[in-house]
Amino acid sequence: MSRILLAASLALALQLLPADGVAQEPKAVPSRLQAGIDAAARGDTVQALAILDDLLEADPRLAEAHFQRAKIYASLASGRATQFQERALAESALEQAIKQDPRNPLYLLAMGKLMLMQQVRVDARRIFQRALTEAARADAATLAEVHYQLGLFHETQWVRFKDRHMLPMGRDQFDTDMAFYDARWAWNFLTDSPYPGSDQGDAERSSMLDHYRAALSVHPSHRGASTHLMAYLHDEGLYEQLLDVAHAFVGAAQSDPLAYLGLGLGHYRKGSMEEAAGAFHYALTLMSTEERRQFEGIGRILSKDGEARYTGLSPDQRLEYERRFWSVSDPLMLTAANEFWLEYMARMAYVDFRFGIEEYKLRGWQTDRGDIYLRYGPPVKRAAFGAAAIRTADMSALGKVTTGWSYGPDGPGFGFRQNPGFRNARFADDFAFYSEDFRSVQPARFESPTLPERLPLPVQVVRFRGPEGRMDVEVHAALPMAALGEGVPVAESTVERGVFVQDQQAREVERIVGEEIVRFREADGRRVESWRLSLQPDGRYIVGVEAREPLTWRAAVGRATVDPKLFALGELSISDILLADVVQPLDTLPASRTDFRIVPNPEMVFRPDQGVNLYFELYNLLPDDDQFASYEVELAITVEEIEREGPGVLQALAELADKWGFTKEGTSPAELRFQKQQRVVAQDILPEYFNVQLPGAPRGRYGLSLTVRDQNAGTEATTTRTFHIRPAGDGEGS
Amino acid sequence: MLLALLVLGAPAQLDAQQGWRKWVFAAAGAVLIGAPASIAEEQDDMFCGTRPCMISAGAALGATVGFLLGRELDAKQSREDAVGPRLRLDARAVQLEFAPTGLALHDGGAVAIGTQGLARVDLGGGLHPLGGDIRGVTAVAAFPDRGALLAATPAGIFAFQLDGGGEGRQLLPHSAGVLAALGPAALLLGRGPVWQRLRLSGQGAGVTLEEVASVEAGEGVAVAAAHAAYAGTVWTLTGTRLTARTETSLAELGTLTLPARGRSLSLDGGRALIAAGGDGLFLADVSRPEAPRLIAQLRGVDFAFDAVLVGDQAYVAAGGLGLLVVDITDPVQPQITGVARELGFVADVERGSDGRLWALDREGARVHVVEPRPGSPGS
């Protein structure tokens, strides 16, 4: 009995509770609603929906709860035409919200956006216009958002037109299968497809701009309106206007990284590198840790294997990897800015502005087009072909817009597809596979507006034994003065030049820069510059030599890799061979490098009648009891590649063997040997030199192998070198 | 006749009528597609295979396509007309050989600045390349009496012979954002917040510079300058600050802070016109150098690249909109009295001493020498 009484009491109490709840509604509802909103913001949509459903069960007229439910379902919805369940739920919830509060511009705006997702464009536009009317009475942020959405609406239309081409005569479609297999076919197709003119879609463009500007006039810090307007201005090459918008954005939203990215993008395209670098760096400091990690992550511009290795690193290791990556890929160490890093940042900013879709939380670099743009920059040719032009037999293309991007007749070329009116385009057919495949060939391609031309600068690096266990490295470079001075309009110009050494960790360990006033008209076509550097032989180095003419921005860049070479104490060893145009002893018994006049040949290219001069040093020859060193030098010249066409190469070589008159040994007709024996007063360093005449030698690549045998110690050491023979006047000689 | 209209364009009388294209194009479309159907063979075994049906269907299809196309063109025309009435100006175009970024006038012609090189355009339309492959030129100033051209680049300031002969020479090792000739023997140079007056001597590429005065304008970057020779003053625009200075010592006489950064400066009749990009134009009263004041901010132009003031007319380089003629008789309610679209993407406009305007079409890589006819839109 008591149990029955207890149950009855509980039931009564529970029945009374809702009445209490209703009585407390003015306070409880906002806090419960906020709890639901907070749960959604945390990503806990299940809890958020449960809270909102509870609220609506208690009061189905609660418009804001309907609206929040709709927002959650809309955020779960994808842009795919076939995935409509969440969109339908969102629409239903929004209808309820609008029913309860028909003049709320935010609800109307959300409904318009949802309709856009569902491609109900006419109704979407009508609802946006209604939202605009209601928003005129609302706050500036809401009004700006409505203008922005209307701008997006028109932008989507305009983007469909701006790249639209007509199919070439006799073609019924842009065949992505053909484009996939033949990049040249794709290039020719895009070249042959007539462009009706830039006026198409002009009305949409005009409306788009009006709405973006209207949004910014009432709410200057509006991200979407600012970034989309900047993307448009970038596409049109209107960089002054882009900078203007970016300045206004920065002024209105001083802690928004997108504003500074826009500023950096504008400065970069205008060629103001230092300002661009400053803006980009500042933008990074304003980003959240995760956003910054995504922004600075370079996995997407590495090969697939490289990306796998990179993503497997710890956060600290990744930072170090990025630092090394950019250090090594700096195209011009002479300048303060890393032009390729700036290009990367500019591309990241642009793809985010142009291809990012905020409502799907899709950043630009996460889209297929963004990925390709990021790696290869803007396509040389691009064309979109309307859905109607696609043959129905190609079911994957049915009703979709196909866009072709080509980077040249030799590729790469890419195809994308999208539903008309959708903002995201995906790789067409097998282009996702092609993209990954091409990535293994060329992960990325960078260029910079301030590097119009990078001329080759030949560098010969020669390792000698240095003091205290160090390695001395001679760097001989041929500065292409004639090419650098081409088009220079002044009699005298200040040429900047320098040598740079990075260690294995890509840290700069040596930097020698200077300026020199050059009279190009009087200067030789080529100037040989030399440096001697002392390095620790504990890792691989990258040596760079650069020269830049600052009036025409022409630059010459040479790079060489230097492996460590240990010259062990007490052991016979040889320096590298220094190849020179002239090696002339200044003393009858030269004892060191300074006893020679040497004119290096940085290109390591000789004419057949020129003679190849070699200088090298022998270390630690063992003296005999009379303090004399006895050694034998054997020089083998191997033909590695003959750069001429037709048969009879071996015969030609055999003839050469006679012509050259050396002691010929060995069985290969493509190898010649020369020997020399010496007995000299022993010394710590013994400089040696040869002059080898190769009359009539055909154009080609030759190998030098130098072996020294210490006859007192019975040891030997070998070093090798490669050089080229090119007849005079063929344009590639020294 | 319809075809002639489509191909040759409409006469002005018809052009004045709004929305004619959709009807003309619809009619043309109906004829173009309906006419072939009238001679097609009847197909008994297909839907609408009879000749009357094929003619009707073809004409309807053609009319629809033509109507839609014409409507698009009407809308475009209507948008263009909304900016202002079309203005056809007599202009002579000089084709450049590089992508131009700016224009500087001098007695006897103009110098076009390009992404790669410079070119002098003489009054007869002759083109004379200058400066080889020079890049990154930020400003130029010509001194015809000395046969010299000064060009500022990030690598320094260089002198060239104005006739293009010989080789240039570096004068200063630093760059400048503004170079302005103050007569035949003086140069005003703006660099960052610093303004300098330099004395010029010598001839051609052999000219030399000697500093006479230097002032720092505070915050901002030197953007533009204009010489009011009659008043012995120069006006400098540094960021948002429009400042009157004495011609000789550059001492500050008065300053006006504008609501936004300016891009260019033009003086006429005691007033100054400042082009301010997306912020439109600012009109200032500068008749009293010690107390300049803002008269009006003129909007209605998407982006004012540059502007020239001639009496009550402002000629505005409005980019893709072309060259706008704005009547500022009532500065509070300026009226766009003409839009010269034929001049292309006008990014720079200057007024010569003979009254002719020089407009730079950046996308078409052309310099237009224009005969202005203020207040007479259309032709």
Side-chain angles (χ1 to χ4, degrees):
Chain A
M1 182 66 188
S2 60
R3 281 184 193 170
I4 294 170
L5 281 174
L6 182 63
S9 306
L10 276 172
L12 188 63
L14 282 171
Q15 277 207 325
L16 290 172
L17 267 178
D20 291 346
V22 169
Q24 291 167 8
E25 186 177 310
K27 288 179 185 172
V29 167
S31 65
R32 288 291 288 160
L33 190 61
Q34 191 57 49
I37 294 169
D38 291 344
R42 286 195 307 271
D44 190 350
T45 51
V46 174
Q47 194 194 356
L49 286 171
I51 293 171
L52 294 170
D53 285 347
D54 280 352
L55 280 168
L56 288 170
E57 200 175 329
D59 183 2
R61 294 165 303 168
L62 205 54
E64 189 62 19
H66 285 297
F67 176 58
Q68 293 300 332
R69 278 184 84 234
K71 277 175 75 175
I72 292 170
Y73 284 124
S75 71
L76 294 172
S78 81
R80 287 178 182 274
T82 50
Q83 295 174 359
F84 54 83
Q85 195 175 2
E86 284 82 6
R87 291 203 299 269
L89 287 167
E91 185 178 355
S92 169
L94 271 177
E95 280 171 353
Q96 290 298 320
I98 293 170
K99 189 178 166 189
Q100 301 302 328
D101 188 357
R103 299 185 64 177
N104 189 317
L106 289 176
Y107 301 171
L108 294 166
L109 185 65
M111 182 59 104
K113 286 161 80 170
L114 194 67
M115 287 184 162
L116 267 189
M117 284 173 83
Q118 298 176 91
Q119 294 305 297
V120 191
R121 303 186 64 78
V122 176
D123 283 349
R125 186 177 190 170
R126 183 177 51 77
I127 288 189
F128 280 140
Q129 292 293 357
R130 205 173 126 198
L132 193 59
T133 308
E134 300 300 340
R137 289 190 289 269
D139 59 299
T142 306
L143 181 58
E145 182 62 20
V146 175
H147 272 302
Y148 165 60
Q149 289 298 334
L150 276 164
L152 268 187
F153 176 88
H154 291 291
E155 182 187 286
T156 312
Q157 293 291 84
W158 176 67
V159 165
R160 285 174 67 187
F161 289 114
K162 84 179 172 84
D163 290 332
R164 179 174 282 187
H165 284 225
M166 291 157 67
L167 290 163
M169 289 291 283
R171 304 286 178 80
D172 62 353
Q173 67 166 343
F174 177 65
D175 188 335
T176 50
D177 280 341
M178 281 295 292
F180 175 79
Y181 288 112
D182 189 348
R184 189 172 291 271
W185 181 90
W187 170 265
N188 290 337
F189 192 99
L190 299 184
T191 306
D192 295 342
S193 59
Y195 184 52
S198 56
D199 282 347
Q200 48 181 353
D202 198 49
E204 300 292 346
R205 178 177 63 169
S206 185
S207 298
M208 169 191 80
L209 293 175
D210 287 347
H211 282 295
Y212 286 156
R213 289 192 175 123
L216 293 175
S217 71
V218 294
H219 188 34
S221 62
H222 194 285
R223 294 186 114 193
S226 297
T227 55
H228 279 261
L229 186 54
M230 287 192 285
Y232 163 78
L233 296 170
H234 184 277
D235 287 344
E236 297 293 303
L238 302 171
Y239 303 135
E240 292 106 326
Q241 283 146 293
L242 195 166
L243 266 176
D244 212 50
V245 173
H247 276 298
F249 191 16
V250 163
Q254 297 194 352
S255 58
D256 192 333
L258 293 183
Y260 288 91
L261 287 176
L263 194 62
L265 180 63
H267 279 306
Y268 179 73
R269 292 291 172 223
K270 288 280 288 173
S272 309
M273 295 296 162
E274 287 175 18
E275 289 87 343
F280 284 142
H281 278 296
Y282 192 64
L284 290 173
T285 65
L286 294 175
M287 290 178 186
S288 67
T289 309
E290 173 56 21
E291 187 179 20
R292 182 166 182 165
R293 191 187 67 75
Q294 286 201 42
F295 222 87
E296 292 187 298
I298 53 170
R300 53 186 78 87
I301 54 167
L302 302 175
S303 67
K304 203 168 182 183
D305 290 345
E307 185 179 20
R309 283 195 298 274
Y310 169 75
T311 49
L313 299 173
S314 69
D316 286 346
Q317 287 171 325
R318 246 180 282 172
L319 281 177
E320 174 61 11
Y321 189 97
E322 287 158 14
R323 186 194 63 75
R324 288 190 197 190
F325 177 86
W326 290 118
S327 291
V328 170
S329 50
D330 187 350
L332 199 62
M333 297 173 183
L334 261 175
T335 51
N338 182 334
E339 288 81 1
F340 285 174
W341 180 80
L342 290 174
E343 172 71 19
Y344 171 77
M345 290 297 289
R347 287 184 190 177
M348 282 293 280
Y350 171 75
V351 300
D352 204 27
F353 293 175
R354 170 49 71 214
F355 302 121
I357 305 178
E358 197 179 3
E359 47 270 42
Y360 302 150
K361 297 182 173 56
L362 199 59
R363 302 302 296 260
W365 55 86
Q366 294 166 328
T367 64
D368 291 344
R369 285 176 300 178
D371 182 46
I372 295 303
Y373 190 100
L374 198 56
R375 283 198 251 150
Y376 308 115
V380 179
K381 284 189 188 297
R382 77 174 100 194
F385 301 96
I390 305 299
R391 70 180 177 196
T392 51
D394 185 354
M395 291 308 287
S396 65
L398 187 64
K400 292 183 178 168
V401 175
T402 303
T403 302
W405 284 14
S406 178
Y407 287 84
D410 298 323
F414 300 94
F416 304 95
R417 288 228 175 86
Q418 68 193 113
N419 287 309
F422 274 63
R423 286 163 57 203
N424 194 18
R426 304 185 70 86
F427 283 123
D429 301 329
D430 293 327
F431 272 102
F433 164 76
Y434 173 84
S435 157
E436 286 302 295
D437 190 45
F438 191 80
R439 186 179 174 185
S440 64
V441 178
Q442 189 178 39
R445 183 189 289 177
F446 285 99
E447 49 195 37
S448 166
T450 54
L451 279 179
E453 199 169 5
R454 279 199 301 166
L455 303 161
L457 194 159
V459 176
Q460 183 185 173
V461 176
V462 193
R463 295 166 299 177
F464 294 98
R465 193 181 73 179
E468 298 167 358
R470 292 171 74 87
M471 171 176 77
D472 277 3
V473 174
E474 280 191 12
V475 180
H476 304 288
L479 309 187
M481 302 305 279
L484 275 176
E486 201 173 298
V488 173
V490 291
E492 287 182 349
S493 177
T494 306
V495 170
E496 304 157 353
R497 57 183 162 69
V499 61
F500 312 89
V501 182
Q502 285 184 355
D503 67 9
Q504 202 157 312
Q505 283 74 44
R507 288 195 196 88
E508 194 170 85
V509 294
E510 197 76 67
R511 179 185 187 87
I512 304 169
V513 294
E515 290 182 346
E516 180 190 1
I517 293 176
V518 175
R519 295 185 70 86
F520 282 110
R521 304 293 167 266
E522 296 166 12
D524 292 336
R526 150 187 179 274
R527 157 101 61 87
V528 175
E529 294 273 350
S530 298
W531 296 266
R532 189 166 174 125
L533 312 166
S534 183
L535 302 170
Q536 286 289 356
D538 55 2
R540 173 175 279 192
Y541 292 94
I542 293 174
V543 173
V545 180
E546 296 174 354
R548 181 173 180 266
E549 201 294 309
L551 262 183
T552 60
W553 300 354
R554 277 205 183 82
V557 176
R559 297 273 191 271
T561 304
V562 184
D563 285 321
K565 185 164 185 172
L566 287 168
F567 297 92
L569 283 173
E571 277 184 26
L572 173 69
S573 54
I574 322 175
S575 72
D576 286 339
I577 300 168
L578 168 56
L579 293 172
D581 291 334
V582 175
V583 177
Q584 181 186 7
L586 302 172
D587 199 305
T588 48
L589 286 173
S592 71
R593 169 82 167 75
T594 53
D595 293 335
F596 289 86
R597 184 175 86 87
I598 297 176
V599 180
N601 182 324
E603 297 92 343
M604 295 184 279
V605 176
F606 298 87
R607 296 190 308 273
D609 59 346
Q610 182 185 1
V612 180
N613 294 284
L614 292 68
Y615 172 84
F616 52 93
E617 293 175 358
L618 307 176
Y619 308 111
N620 300 323
L621 284 163
L622 188 68
D624 60 15
D625 293 342
D626 299 327
Q627 294 301 306
F628 272 83
S630 294
Y631 62 95
E632 179 187 278
V633 176
E634 182 180 279
L635 181 68
I637 301 174
T638 313
V639 179
E640 295 184 347
E641 186 185 357
I642 293 294
E643 297 167 6
R644 81 180 213 186
E645 294 174 354
V649 171
L650 293 183
Q651 288 93 320
L653 289 172
E655 288 166 17
L656 276 175
D658 295 335
K659 276 187 184 174
W660 289 353
F662 297 136
T663 309
K664 177 177 169 290
E665 292 186 354
T667 52
S668 168
E671 184 174 274
L672 297 162
R673 289 180 183 277
F674 174 68
Q675 289 180 325
K676 172 179 169 184
Q677 289 195 354
Q678 288 280 51
R679 185 167 186 272
V680 296
V681 175
Q683 54 193 63
D684 185 37
I685 300 174
L686 195 69
E688 260 289 12
Y689 67 103
F690 278 104
N691 175 275
V692 180
Q693 295 296 324
L694 304 173
R699 176 190 168 107
R701 190 177 77 238
Y702 293 76
L704 275 174
S705 177
L706 181 75
T707 303
V708 176
R709 293 189 191 87
D710 184 342
Q711 290 172 329
N712 292 338
T715 55
E716 69 174 44
T718 300
T719 189
T720 58
R721 203 61 150 169
T722 300
F723 69 94
H724 287 81
I725 293 287
R726 294 210 182 104
D730 75 351
E732 293 180 44
S734 60
Chain B
M1 188 200 80
L2 290 173
L3 278 176
L5 271 176
L6 298 184
V7 174
L8 300 174
Q13 296 87 338
L14 190 51
D15 218 21
Q17 301 295 315
Q18 293 289 323
W20 61 270
R21 289 173 183 79
K22 57 179 174 287
W23 304 115
V24 172
F25 275 64
V31 171
L32 281 172
I33 302 184
S38 66
I39 54 168
E41 278 191 26
E42 294 198 348
Q43 305 282 332
D44 294 337
D45 55 344
M46 64 177 276
F47 173 71
C48 193
T50 63
R51 185 164 291 122
C53 185
M54 285 195 289
I55 293 171
S56 306
L61 177 67
T64 307
V65 171
F67 182 85
L68 292 173
L69 187 61
R71 193 177 65 168
E72 181 80 8
L73 292 171
D74 281 336
K76 181 172 185 281
Q77 186 61 47
S78 159
R79 280 193 307 280
E80 289 182 1
D81 291 346
V83 177
R86 184 177 295 182
L87 179 64
R88 292 198 176 116
L89 294 169
D90 290 336
R92 189 177 66 245
V94 180
Q95 188 69 45
L96 302 170
E97 291 168 354
F98 51 68
T101 57
L103 192 66
L105 234 56
H106 61 86
D107 286 343
V111 174
I113 304 170
T115 50
Q116 189 177 358
L118 301 164
R120 183 170 60 84
V121 183
D122 63 32
L123 290 173
L127 190 68
H128 311 277
L130 278 168
D133 290 346
I134 194 168
R135 285 177 191 270
V137 175
T138 50
V140 297
F143 294 86
D145 293 348
R146 297 181 179 278
L149 176 78
L150 270 53
T153 79
I157 294 168
F158 294 81
F160 299 99
Q161 275 184 222
L162 191 55
D163 64 8
E167 289 172 321
R169 197 170 63 83
Q170 190 180 47
L171 296 181
L172 296 171
H174 55 71
S175 185
V178 180
L179 295 179
L182 305 176
L187 172 75
L188 181 67
L189 183 152
R191 176 166 63 102
V194 175
W195 290 94
Q196 285 177 291
R197 181 190 165 95
L198 300 140
R199 183 178 298 122
L200 197 75
S201 48
Q203 289 288 322
V207 293
T208 56
L209 293 174
E210 182 190 352
E211 184 179 298
V212 176
S214 178
V215 292
E216 188 160 336
E219 289 182 3
V221 173
V223 176
H227 187 199
Y230 58 89
T233 56
V234 291
W235 288 84
T236 59
L237 186 58
T238 317
T240 57
R241 288 162 59 86
L242 177 66
T243 306
R245 300 180 182 282
T246 59
E247 193 179 1
T248 48
S249 65
L250 302 182
E252 184 174 327
L253 298 170
T255 288
L256 166 67
T257 301
L258 300 167
R261 292 178 311 129
R263 294 173 55 88
S264 74
L265 172 63
S266 171
L267 300 180
D268 194 63
R271 289 188 296 181
L273 185 67
I274 298 105
D279 290 293
L281 301 155
F282 298 116
L283 186 67
D285 178 354
V286 295
S287 56
R288 292 175 57 219
E290 68 281 7
R293 64 181 184 87
L294 187 64
I295 301 173
Q297 179 173 6
L298 318 178
R299 293 193 180 272
V301 180
D302 281 350
F303 195 91
F305 284 81
D306 193 6
V308 164
L309 184 62
V310 185
D312 284 333
Q313 304 275 355
Y315 294 89
V316 184
L321 291 179
L323 182 71
L324 308 188
V325 184
V326 185
D327 183 348
I328 53 168
T329 310
D330 178 2
V332 181
Q333 286 191 314
Q335 297 288 320
I336 297 177
T337 56
V339 182
R341 290 183 183 278
E342 288 78 10
L343 302 183
F345 190 104
V346 183
D348 209 337
V349 60
E350 304 286 340
R351 183 172 181 247
S353 55
D354 58 358
R356 283 190 286 190
L357 295 172
W358 295 63
L360 183 75
D361 171 10
R362 198 170 67 187
E363 290 185 353
R366 288 176 298 184
V367 172
H368 296 280
V369 186
V370 182
E371 302 287 349
R373 286 182 296 167
S376 60
S379 63

